[in-house]
């Protein structure tokens, strides 16, 4: 494995105002927003008033990229300590699963690493040190 096999992307999570925040950043940083999905997918079981919130977006500025989403109301109420996760993007399912298993060992798995409704393999967890991670594997 080389460092070029993995993409590191900060993942910002908001309490219902993700779109507003990204538009704010866009204006200041001359960025570009791509909203990939909202909570309107039935698989998300989102409350009716949350279905237009952002499930996943990418924000591009200069040569950088951030991912962003709105946290489900349940997660907001749990009082997460941080609104940032580390997102690893891979294109090799075996390597992604191995990294997921090794990093999550001794931690708390929130979503097991499996094929998701949007087509990628994905899982997320809090490691044994309290850091939130997302591991995503998509085709090139």
């Amino acid at each position: 494995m080389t460092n070029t096999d993995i993409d590191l992307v900060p993942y910002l999570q908001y309490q219902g105002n993700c779109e507003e925040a990204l538009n704010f950043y866009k204006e200041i940083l001359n960025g570009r927003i791509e909203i990939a999905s909202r909570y309107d997918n039935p698989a998300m079981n989102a409350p009716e008033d949350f279905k237009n919130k952002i499930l996943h977006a990418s924000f591009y500025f200069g040569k950088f990229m951030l991912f962003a989403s709105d946290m489900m109301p349940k997660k907001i109420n749990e009082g997460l300590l941080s609104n940032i996760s580390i997102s690893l993007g891979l294109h090799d399912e075996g390597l992604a699963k191995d990294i997921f298993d090794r990093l999550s060992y001794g931690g708390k798995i929130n979503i097991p690493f499996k094929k998701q409704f949007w087509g990628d393999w994905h899982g997320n967890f809090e490691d044994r040190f309290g850091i939130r991670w997302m591991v995503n594997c998509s085709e090139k």
Side-chain angles (χ1 to χ4, degrees):
M1 175 175 68
T2 66
N3 289 339
T4 59
D5 295 332
I6 304 171
D7 294 325
L8 175 66
V9 181
Y11 205 116
L12 308 177
Q13 295 173 303
Y14 295 88
Q15 297 183 15
N17 58 352
C18 179
E19 195 159 9
E20 177 185 352
L22 292 180
N23 280 313
F24 177 72
Y25 304 150
K26 176 184 172 183
E27 184 178 315
I28 295 168
L29 300 172
N30 194 28
R32 178 173 51 92
I33 302 167
E34 288 183 11
I35 298 174
S37 55
R38 295 187 182 267
Y39 278 94
D40 58 354
N41 186 298
M44 294 307 300
N45 295 317
E48 193 60 40
D49 63 343
F50 208 77
K51 291 188 182 219
N52 197 40
K53 299 296 182 184
I54 294 177
L55 175 61
H56 180 72
S58 300
F59 177 69
Y60 303 92
F61 62 105
K63 56 184 176 179
F64 302 103
M65 176 176 63
L66 300 171
F67 289 153
S69 69
D70 286 302
M71 286 187 280
M72 282 286 269
K74 181 179 184 292
K75 294 290 183 192
I76 294 169
N77 294 334
E78 289 174 356
L80 294 173
L81 297 175
S82 172
N83 62 349
I84 297 174
S85 297
I86 297 172
S87 178
L88 300 178
L90 296 99
H91 301 291
D92 177 319
E93 181 186 329
L95 178 59
K97 173 77 168 111
D98 181 58
I99 288 172
F100 179 89
D101 290 344
R102 292 170 64 196
L103 283 175
S104 66
Y105 181 78
K108 177 186 170 214
I109 294 175
N110 299 314
I111 297 178
F113 188 77
K114 64 181 184 177
K115 187 86 162 185
Q116 300 295 333
F117 67 86
W118 61 85
D120 292 350
W121 286 83
H122 172 85
N124 65 64
F125 58 92
E126 186 176 305
D127 71 17
R128 65 183 187 204
F129 306 104
I131 302 299
R132 291 184 299 147
W133 293 82
M134 299 176 177
V135 177
N136 199 72
C137 181
S138 61
E139 294 180 10
K140 281 190 172 184

